[in-house]
Amino acid sequence: PDEDGDRFVEIWNNVFMQFEKENDEIVRSLPKPSVDTGMGLERIASVLQGKNSVFDTDLFQTLIAASEDATNTKAEGDRAPSHRVIADHLRSSAFLIADGVTPSNEGRGYVLRRIMRRAMRHAHLLGASEPLMHRLVPTLISEMGDAFPELKRAQAFVEDTLKQEEIRFRTTLSKGMSLFDTAVQGFRPGEMLDGQTAFTLYDTYGFPLDLTQDEARRRGFGVNVEGFQDAMAQQRARSREHWKGSGQTANAGEWLAVRDRLGPTVFSGYDAVDGSGEVLAIMKDGQAVDAAETGAIVEVLFDTTPFYAESGGQAGDHGTLEWPGGAAEVIDVRKQAGDLHVLSAEITAGALKIGDRAAQSVDPAKRQTTRANHSAAHLLHTALKNVLGDHVAQKGQLVDAERARFDFSHNAPVTEDELAAMEAEVNAVIRQNVPAETRLMAPQAAIEAGAIALFGEKYGDEVRVLTLGRSLTTDNKPYSVELCGGTHVSRTGDIGLFKIVSEGGVAAGVRRIEALTGEAARLYVEGQARVARNLARDFKVQPADVPARVEGLQTSVKALEKQVAELKKQLALGGGSGADAAPEEINGVKLIARVLDGVDGKGLRGVAEDFRKQVGSGVVALIGVTDGKAAVTVAVTSDMAGRVNAADLARAAVLAMGGQGAGGKPDFAQGGAPDGSKAEAGLAAIRAALN
């Protein structure tokens, strides 16, 4: 009875799930009562292999052995838990990354980051001086890759993600641990680390609370969790105040009450851009009102509407409202309380009141372009997976009447060849001109049928499953199948043309592609072609020969720049008359001091080196003036370095010319100043410093 829990090994744990509780009261029966035995694969393996711990089974021993080898430490004594954490968290992290999750500061990405950083801290405790986790991935894949081929497909991405995250974490780990060490200095076992320090470790250094608790527990301390939560709540309160101060209306509670009273909006916009509906509610400045006059900007709720509300990355529709004696312009549509389509509208004539029935017209051109961009984003998602790998997962998107913007998980810039391959693939599907297919299905059935669902999205009892195009291989399977509640083209050919216009990174492990479709894509391509034609005309060559002509000109320019730099250098070294070339002497120090017009900081370096050789023993002070600005270079010969500091002299010159300072070594320093007309004053300051 006095054992701490290791006397028994739990292999079975029956949980009878029958009711749902709220505030410690049973409120309803579950729709499907069930029994969870708690006897998973690892517990079964422990029993069959006669082990008292899952970490002693073959599922873990190979990974632990790899961790021992990589850290040159044995999984014994107080080091054993660290090896176990590394092995366990390596598996979790690798599977999440292979599923398209990337480390971030929110949602599932934050869960992954916590898991990764906990393992990485234990690698640090074991003395690993270099990133460790990514080096264990091959062992994991050799153990589990046959059963889970997605690990093999995503191996490179998993390794790179683990490596980059560990590099980032190690840059903050030492700073965070320094703060921790200072905070607990003089602590006795049983004392508590204050919540504010724990929050600073989380907020500034990326230490999850459980990681701080682990470190405190290892040293015999506790953490004031309540204080941490208070600090977190204070930050959220500050964020809310900042949000309110930005002019946004915080009326979510009002709309929840409306939703409970009136039910959801009926959306008629999948098949139409026109419709009519009854005004059920009007909000002005976050408050419910019965009517609004001309000039007011209000939020309006209809019982039914063809206006799409911004969600799933698709922007809200624009358009107009008309009713007897009045009109309004719809400038945005957003969802409130889950399924209310709330129109932001500016009343341009008359007055709008609850109970009015209005004709609603969505801007057809913007809707069509938005549809095309949204459907193109779906095709791009599939093309990304086909070209870059199955590790690619959507991290966000925004499609509107202007363009399609798609964020995705990938750890490296997309090459020009890869972009070209994706673009060609999407356009090939567009040219198929096959009908888009939409079905209503239960979410799980849709996923089992191959539809892509976005992790973290909330799906109802019924979802729309959109199929676009046919596979470009011979199997004739659908090209793109996704769960999506947005509006889309009727046929892939309605997209017209797809053109990628930019690709770049937006966060660690997240890239962004922006693309155009239809007429916007045609105009973009025509604009690029016009530039090429104009260049060809100016260069008097064919458009195809423009790149070679430009390359030749660049080579010529570089050669001329080199010649000019050499001529400037020779001119500076000649210095005019022989008297100009001779060094002056100040306080026993030889000084060559000159102002060189048209020589920049880069050019000054070579001139200074040559002058330093000429002077033999002494100081070279040069100020180059280009475009009205000054560059300062000071060089000191090695025998004078202990007596004269080049950085001090350069700083004196820069300050005399109105600059902020200079930097460098005792024998060579450079700086800059905004006013080249004060160059002589800069040299005078150097002379004064030598006196």
Side-chain angles (χ1 to χ4, degrees), residues 267-275 306-307 317 362 367 371:
F267 176 60
S268 60
Y270 286 123
D271 304 311
V273 292
D274 297 305
F307 280 88
D317 283 325
V362 176
R367 166 66 76 83
R371 278 176 169 170

Side-chain angles (χ1 to χ4, degrees), residues 179-216:
L179 172 64
F180 186 97
D181 291 338
T182 300
V184 301
Q185 191 171 10
F187 268 34
R188 292 188 297 273
E191 292 194 50
M192 302 283 283
L193 177 69
D194 65 281
Q196 183 58 54
T197 299
F199 178 75
T200 301
L201 285 166
Y202 158 78
D203 193 44
T204 305
Y205 299 104
F207 279 40
L209 176 61
D210 51 0
L211 191 152
T212 302
Q213 289 176 302
D214 279 353
E215 182 62 24

Side-chain angles (χ1 to χ4, degrees), residues 119-134:
M120 291 166 184
R121 172 181 158 272
H122 279 276
H124 176 74
L125 291 176
L126 291 174
S129 58
E130 298 292 335
L132 169 76
M133 298 282 285
H134 72 285

Side-chain angles (χ1 to χ4, degrees), residues 489-571:
V489 296
S490 299
R491 308 179 69 89
T492 59
D494 294 343
I495 298 171
L497 175 66
F498 175 78
K499 181 63 184 175
I500 295 173
V501 296
S502 70
E503 188 278 336
V506 294
V510 179
R511 311 291 299 179
R512 171 174 295 170
I513 282 177
E514 293 195 357
L516 302 174
T517 63
E519 180 64 6
R522 188 193 70 80
L523 291 174
Y524 177 84
V525 172
E526 171 57 27
Q528 298 294 96
R530 188 181 302 113
V531 170
R533 288 196 299 269
N534 291 340
L535 286 172
R537 183 192 62 226
D538 294 341
F539 291 149
K540 295 180 174 57
V541 297
Q542 293 298 314
D545 296 327
V546 167
R549 182 78 171 107
V550 170
E551 184 178 353
L553 288 173
Q554 288 176 327
T555 302
S556 298
V557 167
K558 288 179 181 177
L560 290 171
E561 287 176 342
K562 187 175 182 180
Q563 290 178 22
V564 169
E566 184 62 28
L567 289 171
K568 287 182 177 179
K569 177 180 175 182
Q570 294 302 322
L571 182 62

Side-chain angles (χ1 to χ4, degrees), residues 11 138 140 155 160 234 236 263 277 347 418 425 436 443 568 584 664:
I11 61 170
L140 172 67
Q155 178 173 353
D160 192 48
Q234 290 172 17
R236 287 171 178 162
I347 300 176
E418 289 168 337
E425 192 169 302
K568 287 182 177 179
E584 56 189 288

Side-chain angles (χ1 to χ4, degrees), residues 64-114:
I64 290 175
S67 177
E68 289 178 316
D69 183 62
T71 59
N72 293 315
T73 61
K74 287 292 184 181
E76 299 171 348
D78 59 2
R79 295 179 180 269
S82 292
H83 286 288
R84 292 178 175 183
V85 168
I86 290 169
D88 180 75
H89 291 14
L90 171 68
R91 297 194 319 171
S92 304
S93 300
F95 275 94
L96 284 167
I97 296 167
D99 262 355
V101 183
T102 53
S104 68
N105 288 329
E106 59 185 16
R108 57 183 180 157
Y110 182 57
V111 174
L112 171 61
R113 175 161 282 168
R114 288 174 64 185

